[in-house]
Every structure is written in structure tokens, then in C-alpha cells.
Amino acid sequence: QKEVEQDPGPLSVPEGAIVSLNCTYSNSAFQYFMWYRQYSRKGPELLMYTYSSGNKEDGRFTAQVDKSSKYISLFIRDSQPSDSATYLCAMSRGNNRLAFGKGNQVVVIP
Amino acid sequence: ETGVTQTPRHLVMGMTNKKSLKCEQHLGHNAMYWYKQSAKKPLELMFVYNFKEQTENNSVPSRFSPECPNSSHLFLHLHTLQPEDSALYLCASSQLDSDSTDTQYFGPGTRLTVL
């Protein structure tokens, strides 16, 4: 079983829709959870970071962590064409080693 | 320059060439990383340097040789690569301390093509 599972998509949504992305993990020792956004031909950019179960909001973005189910989610409200990118989930045990998902390609159609 | 920079951005090399990738971080961090990113695969951690000391080599073939002369600079020396080594090579940095959250900051990557 892979440490981090993420459906690579692609996911196409109309502009203004809510984008819902998720990852599951198998290692209960993970305690830090991140979402990165990667535009084509660019490096990953840290989007959201959280370490506790529950929700964290930042503008149109909400990161959700459910440690009991080993499940994390990212929601993008009022999606824009500029949100079209690949979204990577990442997590860590606090040992400065990140485990990444494969990435989920999102296309927001104007 | 801000953040993490990488040069060159694109590199095409033959299997017998020797080349080097360069990474520089302007964030004052004390840990640096090399990753390989291939299509449809998770990022693969290659090397880790904590306080300029290599702390991890994830079974990377010897044709990849890292060098970390100081906490701001990281190199990846390439020699006699194979076509399957074609990928996006990403450099990242982070700050290690008692309050570390393990968040890493990435450069734009070097797109490597081995002919």
C-alpha cells in the first residue's frame, strides 16, 4: 500500500464551481499536512499548511484534515481559470521528509 | 533574487556528457533537497542536506552526485546519464528547528532531457 494515495484526475470544472480534491494516507504518524499548487513548467508552490484535524481557510481555499479517517481534502470555492494547475498533497511525520501524492490536474473552463 | 532559484531551466544532454545543475536559496534555510519529478509519479526524494551535511541518499545511482558547499547552494553533478533519467529536477529548502513544520519551498526546476 502506498503511503499517500491521490487520484491524478484530470478534473475539469466550469468557472465558479467548487473544486474538491482529496488524499488518503496509511501512516498514522503523519502530523503535518500540506497542499502545493504546480503550474505547468513551474515548481510546486506551497498553498496551504495544517497540522490538526479540522478545517483551515485562506481566502477561497479550505484545507480539511480528518486524522481518524486518514483523509485530507482541499476545496477551492468560486474557481477561476487561473486555478488551473496540478495540486499535490504532501505530509510529514516531523522528520523533514515529505511524502507526496501523485498530483491532481485541475482544469477550470471559462 | 528571492526564494529558490535553479539554473539552467532546460538542459539537453547526450549520454556521455557531464553537466551540473545549480540551486540557490535566498530564504536563510538550513536544509536543502533534490527531487526528481516524472510524469504520473509522486515526487521522488533523491538527496537531503541538513546544515551542509548529506543525511540521505535514497538509493540514487552514482551517475548523480550532489554537492553542498554551503547552506545556500546545492549542486547536482550529472555523468553518463540514461534516457530514463529525463525528468524535472526540483530543488527545495526548509528551515530545521524545534518549531519546524517541515514545509519545503521549491525552485522552478530544471527540465532535463537525455538523448
Side-chain angles (χ1 to χ4, degrees), chain B residues 24-77:
Chain B
E24 183 173 359
Q25 59 95 1
H26 309 268
L27 300 169
H29 289 164
N30 52 23
M32 297 187 76
Y33 312 80
W34 279 116
Y35 286 89
K36 177 183 179 182
Q37 187 175 36
S38 304
K40 307 298 183 186
K41 295 174 69 174
L43 266 69
E44 300 174 49
L45 180 63
M46 300 175 70
F47 301 104
V48 180
Y49 278 83
N50 293 345
F51 302 97
K52 301 186 300 178
E53 299 297 321
Q54 184 176 323
T55 58
E56 189 152 333
N57 173 342
N58 272 348
S59 303
V60 180
S62 59
R63 57 185 184 268
F64 295 91
S65 173
E67 178 189 1
C68 187
N70 55 61
S71 58
S72 299
H73 293 85
L74 186 64
F75 295 89
L76 187 63
H77 304 299

Side-chain angles (χ1 to χ4, degrees), chain A residues 41, chain B residues 6-12 21 88 109-113:
Chain A
R41 299 186 180 86
Chain B
Q6 290 186 243
T7 55
R9 295 293 309 277
H10 301 273
L11 179 61
V12 179
L21 310 184
L88 182 68
T110 295
R111 173 67 62 185
L112 174 66
T113 302

Side-chain angles (χ1 to χ4, degrees), chain A residues 93-104:
Chain A
R93 292 177 289 156
N95 59 346
N96 83 312
R97 304 292 186 268
L98 296 183
F100 285 88
K102 289 184 179 180
N104 202 171

Side-chain angles (χ1 to χ4, degrees), chain A residues 2 4 8-10 32 34 36 38 41-46 49 51 88 92-98 100-103 105, chain B residues 9-10 31 33 35 37 40-43 45 48 50 55-56 88 90 94 96 100-109 111:
Chain A
K2 294 186 177 68
V4 181
Y32 299 111
M34 286 145 257
Y36 285 85
Q38 186 173 21
R41 299 186 180 86
K42 297 284 180 71
E45 166 195 13
L46 182 65
Y49 150 78
Y51 59 88
L88 306 165
S92 166
R93 292 177 289 156
N95 59 346
N96 83 312
R97 304 292 186 268
L98 296 183
F100 285 88
K102 289 184 179 180
Q105 185 182 1
Chain B
R9 295 293 309 277
H10 301 273
Y33 312 80
Y35 286 89
Q37 187 175 36
K40 307 298 183 186
K41 295 174 69 174
L43 266 69
L45 180 63
V48 180
N50 293 345
T55 58
E56 189 152 333
L88 182 68
L90 292 162
S94 71
L96 302 180
S100 176
T101 59
D102 285 357
T103 48
Q104 295 180 14
Y105 296 84
F106 287 83
R111 173 67 62 185

Side-chain angles (χ1 to χ4, degrees), chain A residues 62-79:
Chain A
T62 299
Q64 187 176 79
V65 174
D66 183 345
K67 289 187 178 181
S68 61
S69 301
K70 299 190 182 69
Y71 187 92
I72 68 171
S73 299
L74 178 71
F75 301 98
I76 307 173
R77 291 184 298 281
D78 187 24
S79 57

Side-chain angles (χ1 to χ4, degrees), chain A residues 2-14:
Chain A
K2 294 186 177 68
E3 272 199 310
V4 181
E5 297 276 6
Q6 182 178 14
D7 184 352
L11 178 65
S12 293
V13 299

